[in-house]
Amino acid sequence: MQIAKNSVVTLEYVLKDDSGTIIDQSTGDEPFAFIHGVGGIIPGLESALEGKQADDELSVTIEPDQAYGQRDDALIAEVPLERFEGVEEIQEGMQFHTASEDGTPHIVTVVDISDGVVKVDGNHPLAGVTLNFDVKVLEVREATAEELDHGHVHGPGGHQH
Ligand code: ZN
């Protein structure tokens, strides 16, 4: 069957940036599964997969606007070190869950520490990055009513509960 809204799609992929560096990958041993058409993956990949079927392979380049968006310097903030009470040692690259004033949860990454000030970046790590996917579709099936209710895939590549 072809990939359409509410299909459960299992795939393997290799994700590279424009310099060819592998950012992420999911192989046949640990495939990635998602429900198509419900915003579970980036828009550019979702539209590239629409209508594809098992055993199809595709290479697709996705600009930031169809992936994780552009970087926004307003999301970089400087936070006094004492705000990180209870964290044993702050290091560059550490990530923390936080919430903006309207309660939207997001993840910030520590990018610099100096003189008791921690600089954190709330941009998605892949914001501003053009993504190059090599994808192989392994399986396409209808989502079950329970999966649609939960909003995620059950079984291999999904939730085991
Ligand atoms: Zn579930």
Side-chain angles (χ1 to χ4, degrees):
M1 61 178 281
Q2 292 186 313
I3 297 173
K5 184 172 169 61
N6 296 340
S7 300
V8 168
V9 182
T10 305
L11 48 77
E12 56 185 16
Y13 66 87
V14 178
L15 169 59
K16 296 179 188 151
D17 66 15
D18 271 344
S19 65
T21 302
I22 294 177
I23 299 170
D24 190 17
Q25 61 185 323
S26 179
T27 62
D29 292 340
E30 283 181 59
F32 172 73
F34 69 98
I35 302 176
H36 189 79
V38 298
I41 62 168
I42 55 171
L45 188 57
E46 193 153 80
S47 57
L49 286 166
E50 182 85 24
K52 296 286 187 287
Q53 51 196 12
D55 294 330
D56 280 355
E57 295 184 45
L58 58 152
S59 296
V60 55
T61 296
I62 302 171
E63 301 296 329
D65 286 339
Q66 290 297 310
Y68 293 97
Q70 302 292 346
R71 287 187 55 81
D72 179 359
D73 286 343
L75 294 177
I76 296 171
E78 296 192 332
V79 182
L81 189 56
E82 56 263 28
R83 290 267 301 277
F84 291 87
E85 212 176 308
V87 181
E88 204 154 303
E89 191 186 359
I90 302 287
Q91 292 176 337
E92 279 179 40
M94 288 177 90
Q95 295 189 314
F96 295 90
H97 291 263
T98 180
S100 48
E101 282 173 19
D102 65 4
T104 308
H106 57 117
I107 294 172
V108 299
T109 306
V110 174
V111 291
D112 189 47
I113 308 153
S114 60
D115 298 333
V117 176
V118 180
K119 190 187 273 187
V120 295
D121 185 348
N123 286 287
H124 189 284
L126 295 179
V129 178
T130 297
L131 305 179
N132 301 286
F133 280 94
D134 292 317
V135 177
K136 181 175 184 192
V137 180
L138 300 177
E139 188 192 0
V140 183
R141 63 171 171 85
E142 293 280 357
T144 64
E146 189 185 46
E147 285 173 324
L148 291 175
D149 188 44
H150 289 201
H152 54 232
V153 175
H154 293 161
H159 287 237
Q160 319 287 339
H161 70 126

PDB file of all heavy atoms in Angstrom, residues 51-82:
ATOM      1  N   GLY A  51       2.779   8.791  -0.768  1.00  0.00           N
ATOM      2  CA  GLY A  51       2.579   7.986  -1.977  1.00  0.00           C
ATOM      3  C   GLY A  51       3.628   6.914  -2.215  1.00  0.00           C
ATOM      4  O   GLY A  51       3.476   6.084  -3.116  1.00  0.00           O
ATOM      5  N   LYS A  52       4.695   6.910  -1.414  1.00  0.00           N
ATOM      6  CA  LYS A  52       5.729   5.872  -1.577  1.00  0.00           C
ATOM      7  C   LYS A  52       5.222   4.556  -0.964  1.00  0.00           C
ATOM      8  O   LYS A  52       4.232   4.525  -0.225  1.00  0.00           O
ATOM      9  CB  LYS A  52       7.020   6.312  -0.891  1.00  0.00           C
ATOM     10  CG  LYS A  52       7.638   7.556  -1.506  1.00  0.00           C
ATOM     11  CD  LYS A  52       8.295   7.240  -2.843  1.00  0.00           C
ATOM     12  CE  LYS A  52       9.069   8.412  -3.424  1.00  0.00           C
ATOM     13  NZ  LYS A  52       8.235   9.494  -3.955  1.00  0.00           N
ATOM     14  N   GLN A  53       5.948   3.465  -1.264  1.00  0.00           N
ATOM     15  CA  GLN A  53       5.545   2.175  -0.715  1.00  0.00           C
ATOM     16  C   GLN A  53       6.769   1.355  -0.306  1.00  0.00           C
ATOM     17  O   GLN A  53       7.897   1.773  -0.546  1.00  0.00           O
ATOM     18  CB  GLN A  53       4.674   1.414  -1.711  1.00  0.00           C
ATOM     19  CG  GLN A  53       5.262   1.308  -3.091  1.00  0.00           C
ATOM     20  CD  GLN A  53       4.224   0.895  -4.132  1.00  0.00           C
ATOM     21  OE1 GLN A  53       3.018   0.891  -3.876  1.00  0.00           O
ATOM     22  NE2 GLN A  53       4.698   0.534  -5.306  1.00  0.00           N
ATOM     23  N   ALA A  54       6.516   0.194   0.303  1.00  0.00           N
ATOM     24  CA  ALA A  54       7.610  -0.638   0.811  1.00  0.00           C
ATOM     25  C   ALA A  54       8.623  -0.912  -0.296  1.00  0.00           C
ATOM     26  O   ALA A  54       8.256  -1.134  -1.453  1.00  0.00           O
ATOM     27  CB  ALA A  54       7.065  -1.945   1.369  1.00  0.00           C
ATOM     28  N   ASP A  55       9.886  -0.896   0.060  1.00  0.00           N
ATOM     29  CA  ASP A  55      11.049  -1.122  -0.807  1.00  0.00           C
ATOM     30  C   ASP A  55      11.432   0.099  -1.641  1.00  0.00           C
ATOM     31  O   ASP A  55      12.445   0.065  -2.334  1.00  0.00           O
ATOM     32  CB  ASP A  55      10.875  -2.336  -1.735  1.00  0.00           C
ATOM     33  CG  ASP A  55      10.807  -3.640  -0.935  1.00  0.00           C
ATOM     34  OD1 ASP A  55      11.432  -3.697   0.136  1.00  0.00           O
ATOM     35  OD2 ASP A  55      10.131  -4.570  -1.395  1.00  0.00           O
ATOM     36  N   ASP A  56      10.630   1.161  -1.616  1.00  0.00           N
ATOM     37  CA  ASP A  56      11.045   2.389  -2.304  1.00  0.00           C
ATOM     38  C   ASP A  56      12.241   2.991  -1.581  1.00  0.00           C
ATOM     39  O   ASP A  56      12.312   2.963  -0.352  1.00  0.00           O
ATOM     40  CB  ASP A  56       9.904   3.420  -2.324  1.00  0.00           C
ATOM     41  CG  ASP A  56       8.872   3.127  -3.405  1.00  0.00           C
ATOM     42  OD1 ASP A  56       9.103   2.187  -4.195  1.00  0.00           O
ATOM     43  OD2 ASP A  56       7.850   3.833  -3.458  1.00  0.00           O
ATOM     44  N   GLU A  57      13.165   3.527  -2.376  1.00  0.00           N
ATOM     45  CA  GLU A  57      14.305   4.233  -1.804  1.00  0.00           C
ATOM     46  C   GLU A  57      14.317   5.636  -2.377  1.00  0.00           C
ATOM     47  O   GLU A  57      14.026   5.832  -3.555  1.00  0.00           O
ATOM     48  CB  GLU A  57      15.616   3.522  -2.174  1.00  0.00           C
ATOM     49  CG  GLU A  57      15.700   2.137  -1.556  1.00  0.00           C
ATOM     50  CD  GLU A  57      17.038   1.459  -1.830  1.00  0.00           C
ATOM     51  OE1 GLU A  57      18.079   2.128  -1.693  1.00  0.00           O
ATOM     52  OE2 GLU A  57      17.021   0.273  -2.190  1.00  0.00           O
ATOM     53  N   LEU A  58      14.649   6.604  -1.535  1.00  0.00           N
ATOM     54  CA  LEU A  58      14.701   7.966  -2.041  1.00  0.00           C
ATOM     55  C   LEU A  58      15.784   8.764  -1.325  1.00  0.00           C
ATOM     56  O   LEU A  58      16.139   8.477  -0.181  1.00  0.00           O
ATOM     57  CB  LEU A  58      13.339   8.669  -1.907  1.00  0.00           C
ATOM     58  CG  LEU A  58      12.693   8.806  -0.535  1.00  0.00           C
ATOM     59  CD1 LEU A  58      11.805  10.044  -0.494  1.00  0.00           C
ATOM     60  CD2 LEU A  58      11.857   7.576  -0.212  1.00  0.00           C
ATOM     61  N   SER A  59      16.314   9.735  -2.052  1.00  0.00           N
ATOM     62  CA  SER A  59      17.258  10.684  -1.487  1.00  0.00           C
ATOM     63  C   SER A  59      16.605  12.042  -1.592  1.00  0.00           C
ATOM     64  O   SER A  59      16.145  12.433  -2.666  1.00  0.00           O
ATOM     65  CB  SER A  59      18.572  10.674  -2.269  1.00  0.00           C
ATOM     66  OG  SER A  59      19.186   9.415  -2.141  1.00  0.00           O
ATOM     67  N   VAL A  60      16.547  12.749  -0.490  1.00  0.00           N
ATOM     68  CA  VAL A  60      15.834  14.015  -0.489  1.00  0.00           C
ATOM     69  C   VAL A  60      16.617  15.046   0.317  1.00  0.00           C
ATOM     70  O   VAL A  60      17.174  14.742   1.366  1.00  0.00           O
ATOM     71  CB  VAL A  60      14.382  13.825   0.027  1.00  0.00           C
ATOM     72  CG1 VAL A  60      14.363  13.168   1.379  1.00  0.00           C
ATOM     73  CG2 VAL A  60      13.611  15.129   0.057  1.00  0.00           C
ATOM     74  N   THR A  61      16.693  16.254  -0.231  1.00  0.00           N
ATOM     75  CA  THR A  61      17.346  17.374   0.446  1.00  0.00           C
ATOM     76  C   THR A  61      16.266  18.304   0.963  1.00  0.00           C
ATOM     77  O   THR A  61      15.366  18.690   0.218  1.00  0.00           O
ATOM     78  CB  THR A  61      18.275  18.122  -0.538  1.00  0.00           C
ATOM     79  OG1 THR A  61      19.311  17.231  -0.925  1.00  0.00           O
ATOM     80  CG2 THR A  61      18.880  19.353   0.119  1.00  0.00           C
ATOM     81  N   ILE A  62      16.343  18.627   2.240  1.00  0.00           N
ATOM     82  CA  ILE A  62      15.279  19.413   2.876  1.00  0.00           C
ATOM     83  C   ILE A  62      15.878  20.681   3.474  1.00  0.00           C
ATOM     84  O   ILE A  62      16.777  20.631   4.321  1.00  0.00           O
ATOM     85  CB  ILE A  62      14.563  18.572   3.948  1.00  0.00           C
ATOM     86  CG1 ILE A  62      13.987  17.304   3.309  1.00  0.00           C
ATOM     87  CG2 ILE A  62      13.473  19.386   4.627  1.00  0.00           C
ATOM     88  CD1 ILE A  62      13.440  16.306   4.293  1.00  0.00           C
ATOM     89  N   GLU A  63      15.375  21.815   3.012  1.00  0.00           N
ATOM     90  CA  GLU A  63      15.839  23.115   3.517  1.00  0.00           C
ATOM     91  C   GLU A  63      15.299  23.326   4.933  1.00  0.00           C
ATOM     92  O   GLU A  63      14.267  22.757   5.312  1.00  0.00           O
ATOM     93  CB  GLU A  63      15.343  24.236   2.598  1.00  0.00           C
ATOM     94  CG  GLU A  63      15.808  24.118   1.150  1.00  0.00           C
ATOM     95  CD  GLU A  63      17.328  24.245   1.004  1.00  0.00           C
ATOM     96  OE1 GLU A  63      17.941  24.977   1.822  1.00  0.00           O
ATOM     97  OE2 GLU A  63      17.892  23.611   0.103  1.00  0.00           O
ATOM     98  N   PRO A  64      15.975  24.176   5.709  1.00  0.00           N
ATOM     99  CA  PRO A  64      15.550  24.399   7.110  1.00  0.00           C
ATOM    100  C   PRO A  64      14.074  24.750   7.283  1.00  0.00           C
ATOM    101  O   PRO A  64      13.453  24.306   8.238  1.00  0.00           O
ATOM    102  CB  PRO A  64      16.452  25.553   7.559  1.00  0.00           C
ATOM    103  CG  PRO A  64      17.678  25.414   6.729  1.00  0.00           C
ATOM    104  CD  PRO A  64      17.215  24.904   5.391  1.00  0.00           C
ATOM    105  N   ASP A  65      13.514  25.525   6.333  1.00  0.00           N
ATOM    106  CA  ASP A  65      12.111  25.929   6.499  1.00  0.00           C
ATOM    107  C   ASP A  65      11.159  24.736   6.488  1.00  0.00           C
ATOM    108  O   ASP A  65      10.051  24.822   7.020  1.00  0.00           O
ATOM    109  CB  ASP A  65      11.694  26.911   5.396  1.00  0.00           C
ATOM    110  CG  ASP A  65      12.294  28.284   5.628  1.00  0.00           C
ATOM    111  OD1 ASP A  65      12.674  28.578   6.776  1.00  0.00           O
ATOM    112  OD2 ASP A  65      12.390  29.057   4.655  1.00  0.00           O
ATOM    113  N   GLN A  66      11.581  23.634   5.848  1.00  0.00           N
ATOM    114  CA  GLN A  66      10.764  22.414   5.828  1.00  0.00           C
ATOM    115  C   GLN A  66      11.292  21.375   6.822  1.00  0.00           C
ATOM    116  O   GLN A  66      10.881  20.223   6.803  1.00  0.00           O
ATOM    117  CB  GLN A  66      10.739  21.825   4.418  1.00  0.00           C
ATOM    118  CG  GLN A  66       9.943  22.653   3.429  1.00  0.00           C
ATOM    119  CD  GLN A  66       8.474  22.724   3.816  1.00  0.00           C
ATOM    120  OE1 GLN A  66       7.850  21.700   4.077  1.00  0.00           O
ATOM    121  NE2 GLN A  66       7.921  23.928   3.898  1.00  0.00           N
ATOM    122  N   ALA A  67      12.244  21.827   7.663  1.00  0.00           N
ATOM    123  CA  ALA A  67      12.832  20.903   8.641  1.00  0.00           C
ATOM    124  C   ALA A  67      12.690  21.521  10.038  1.00  0.00           C
ATOM    125  O   ALA A  67      11.575  21.633  10.540  1.00  0.00           O
ATOM    126  CB  ALA A  67      14.282  20.612   8.275  1.00  0.00           C
ATOM    127  N   TYR A  68      13.780  21.957  10.628  1.00  0.00           N
ATOM    128  CA  TYR A  68      13.716  22.454  12.002  1.00  0.00           C
ATOM    129  C   TYR A  68      13.753  23.978  12.091  1.00  0.00           C
ATOM    130  O   TYR A  68      13.989  24.535  13.167  1.00  0.00           O
ATOM    131  CB  TYR A  68      14.846  21.836  12.834  1.00  0.00           C
ATOM    132  CG  TYR A  68      14.641  20.355  13.016  1.00  0.00           C
ATOM    133  CD1 TYR A  68      15.280  19.444  12.188  1.00  0.00           C
ATOM    134  CD2 TYR A  68      13.758  19.864  13.979  1.00  0.00           C
ATOM    135  CE1 TYR A  68      15.070  18.084  12.328  1.00  0.00           C
ATOM    136  CE2 TYR A  68      13.546  18.513  14.128  1.00  0.00           C
ATOM    137  CZ  TYR A  68      14.203  17.617  13.300  1.00  0.00           C
ATOM    138  OH  TYR A  68      13.990  16.274  13.443  1.00  0.00           O
ATOM    139  N   GLY A  69      13.528  24.660  10.953  1.00  0.00           N
ATOM    140  CA  GLY A  69      13.434  26.113  10.973  1.00  0.00           C
ATOM    141  C   GLY A  69      14.794  26.797  10.950  1.00  0.00           C
ATOM    142  O   GLY A  69      15.838  26.151  10.994  1.00  0.00           O
ATOM    143  N   GLN A  70      14.748  28.110  10.852  1.00  0.00           N
ATOM    144  CA  GLN A  70      15.976  28.899  10.860  1.00  0.00           C
ATOM    145  C   GLN A  70      16.422  29.128  12.298  1.00  0.00           C
ATOM    146  O   GLN A  70      15.619  29.068  13.223  1.00  0.00           O
ATOM    147  CB  GLN A  70      15.738  30.260  10.184  1.00  0.00           C
ATOM    148  CG  GLN A  70      15.256  30.168   8.747  1.00  0.00           C
ATOM    149  CD  GLN A  70      16.304  29.629   7.783  1.00  0.00           C
ATOM    150  OE1 GLN A  70      17.487  29.559   8.114  1.00  0.00           O
ATOM    151  NE2 GLN A  70      15.868  29.214   6.592  1.00  0.00           N
ATOM    152  N   ARG A  71      17.699  29.400  12.464  1.00  0.00           N
ATOM    153  CA  ARG A  71      18.183  29.752  13.792  1.00  0.00           C
ATOM    154  C   ARG A  71      17.654  31.126  14.192  1.00  0.00           C
ATOM    155  O   ARG A  71      17.499  32.003  13.370  1.00  0.00           O
ATOM    156  CB  ARG A  71      19.719  29.777  13.808  1.00  0.00           C
ATOM    157  CG  ARG A  71      20.345  28.390  13.758  1.00  0.00           C
ATOM    158  CD  ARG A  71      21.856  28.487  13.957  1.00  0.00           C
ATOM    159  NE  ARG A  71      22.169  29.198  15.189  1.00  0.00           N
ATOM    160  CZ  ARG A  71      22.146  28.630  16.398  1.00  0.00           C
ATOM    161  NH1 ARG A  71      21.855  27.347  16.521  1.00  0.00           N
ATOM    162  NH2 ARG A  71      22.411  29.329  17.474  1.00  0.00           N
ATOM    163  N   ASP A  72      17.389  31.289  15.471  1.00  0.00           N
ATOM    164  CA  ASP A  72      16.880  32.549  15.987  1.00  0.00           C
ATOM    165  C   ASP A  72      17.780  32.984  17.141  1.00  0.00           C
ATOM    166  O   ASP A  72      17.790  32.352  18.203  1.00  0.00           O
ATOM    167  CB  ASP A  72      15.434  32.341  16.469  1.00  0.00           C
ATOM    168  CG  ASP A  72      14.843  33.617  17.049  1.00  0.00           C
ATOM    169  OD1 ASP A  72      15.548  34.652  17.100  1.00  0.00           O
ATOM    170  OD2 ASP A  72      13.662  33.575  17.451  1.00  0.00           O
ATOM    171  N   ASP A  73      18.555  34.052  16.922  1.00  0.00           N
ATOM    172  CA  ASP A  73      19.501  34.490  17.954  1.00  0.00           C
ATOM    173  C   ASP A  73      18.798  34.941  19.235  1.00  0.00           C
ATOM    174  O   ASP A  73      19.413  34.971  20.303  1.00  0.00           O
ATOM    175  CB  ASP A  73      20.385  35.624  17.421  1.00  0.00           C
ATOM    176  CG  ASP A  73      21.432  35.103  16.444  1.00  0.00           C
ATOM    177  OD1 ASP A  73      21.673  33.874  16.435  1.00  0.00           O
ATOM    178  OD2 ASP A  73      21.997  35.916  15.702  1.00  0.00           O
ATOM    179  N   ALA A  74      17.511  35.275  19.125  1.00  0.00           N
ATOM    180  CA  ALA A  74      16.768  35.676  20.322  1.00  0.00           C
ATOM    181  C   ALA A  74      16.594  34.519  21.298  1.00  0.00           C
ATOM    182  O   ALA A  74      16.220  34.732  22.458  1.00  0.00           O
ATOM    183  CB  ALA A  74      15.396  36.234  19.926  1.00  0.00           C
ATOM    184  N   LEU A  75      16.867  33.307  20.834  1.00  0.00           N
ATOM    185  CA  LEU A  75      16.715  32.137  21.705  1.00  0.00           C
ATOM    186  C   LEU A  75      17.997  31.825  22.474  1.00  0.00           C
ATOM    187  O   LEU A  75      18.072  30.840  23.203  1.00  0.00           O
ATOM    188  CB  LEU A  75      16.293  30.912  20.883  1.00  0.00           C
ATOM    189  CG  LEU A  75      14.903  31.008  20.253  1.00  0.00           C
ATOM    190  CD1 LEU A  75      14.614  29.779  19.402  1.00  0.00           C
ATOM    191  CD2 LEU A  75      13.825  31.158  21.323  1.00  0.00           C
ATOM    192  N   ILE A  76      19.003  32.684  22.302  1.00  0.00           N
ATOM    193  CA  ILE A  76      20.235  32.531  23.083  1.00  0.00           C
ATOM    194  C   ILE A  76      20.123  33.426  24.311  1.00  0.00           C
ATOM    195  O   ILE A  76      19.765  34.593  24.210  1.00  0.00           O
ATOM    196  CB  ILE A  76      21.467  32.905  22.241  1.00  0.00           C
ATOM    197  CG1 ILE A  76      21.586  31.918  21.064  1.00  0.00           C
ATOM    198  CG2 ILE A  76      22.729  32.880  23.089  1.00  0.00           C
ATOM    199  CD1 ILE A  76      22.627  32.314  20.037  1.00  0.00           C
ATOM    200  N   ALA A  77      20.369  32.859  25.470  1.00  0.00           N
ATOM    201  CA  ALA A  77      20.204  33.619  26.708  1.00  0.00           C
ATOM    202  C   ALA A  77      21.399  33.391  27.619  1.00  0.00           C
ATOM    203  O   ALA A  77      22.087  32.372  27.520  1.00  0.00           O
ATOM    204  CB  ALA A  77      18.923  33.188  27.420  1.00  0.00           C
ATOM    205  N   GLU A  78      21.645  34.366  28.501  1.00  0.00           N
ATOM    206  CA  GLU A  78      22.702  34.210  29.489  1.00  0.00           C
ATOM    207  C   GLU A  78      22.049  34.063  30.849  1.00  0.00           C
ATOM    208  O   GLU A  78      21.185  34.840  31.230  1.00  0.00           O
ATOM    209  CB  GLU A  78      23.644  35.413  29.445  1.00  0.00           C
ATOM    210  CG  GLU A  78      24.359  35.493  28.111  1.00  0.00           C
ATOM    211  CD  GLU A  78      25.508  36.487  28.108  1.00  0.00           C
ATOM    212  OE1 GLU A  78      25.447  37.458  28.883  1.00  0.00           O
ATOM    213  OE2 GLU A  78      26.452  36.279  27.330  1.00  0.00           O
ATOM    214  N   VAL A  79      22.434  33.026  31.543  1.00  0.00           N
ATOM    215  CA  VAL A  79      21.786  32.655  32.796  1.00  0.00           C
ATOM    216  C   VAL A  79      22.858  32.597  33.880  1.00  0.00           C
ATOM    217  O   VAL A  79      23.910  31.985  33.675  1.00  0.00           O
ATOM    218  CB  VAL A  79      21.105  31.273  32.652  1.00  0.00           C
ATOM    219  CG1 VAL A  79      20.380  30.887  33.932  1.00  0.00           C
ATOM    220  CG2 VAL A  79      20.149  31.267  31.471  1.00  0.00           C
ATOM    221  N   PRO A  80      22.606  33.222  35.051  1.00  0.00           N
ATOM    222  CA  PRO A  80      23.589  33.120  36.135  1.00  0.00           C
ATOM    223  C   PRO A  80      23.782  31.665  36.558  1.00  0.00           C
ATOM    224  O   PRO A  80      22.818  30.902  36.621  1.00  0.00           O
ATOM    225  CB  PRO A  80      22.959  33.918  37.273  1.00  0.00           C
ATOM    226  CG  PRO A  80      21.868  34.718  36.666  1.00  0.00           C
ATOM    227  CD  PRO A  80      21.423  33.992  35.433  1.00  0.00           C
ATOM    228  N   LEU A  81      25.032  31.320  36.840  1.00  0.00           N
ATOM    229  CA  LEU A  81      25.359  29.938  37.200  1.00  0.00           C
ATOM    230  C   LEU A  81      24.534  29.437  38.382  1.00  0.00           C
ATOM    231  O   LEU A  81      24.146  28.268  38.431  1.00  0.00           O
ATOM    232  CB  LEU A  81      26.859  29.851  37.504  1.00  0.00           C
ATOM    233  CG  LEU A  81      27.474  28.463  37.700  1.00  0.00           C
ATOM    234  CD1 LEU A  81      27.228  27.570  36.504  1.00  0.00           C
ATOM    235  CD2 LEU A  81      28.978  28.599  37.943  1.00  0.00           C
ATOM    236  N   GLU A  82      24.221  30.330  39.338  1.00  0.00           N
ATOM    237  CA  GLU A  82      23.497  29.872  40.539  1.00  0.00           C
ATOM    238  C   GLU A  82      22.088  29.370  40.222  1.00  0.00           C
ATOM    239  O   GLU A  82      21.485  28.667  41.011  1.00  0.00           O
ATOM    240  CB  GLU A  82      23.448  30.958  41.620  1.00  0.00           C
ATOM    241  CG  GLU A  82      22.861  32.275  41.203  1.00  0.00           C
ATOM    242  CD  GLU A  82      23.938  33.294  40.813  1.00  0.00           C
ATOM    243  OE1 GLU A  82      25.025  32.854  40.352  1.00  0.00           O
ATOM    244  OE2 GLU A  82      23.698  34.498  40.969  1.00  0.00           O
TER     245      GLU A  82
END
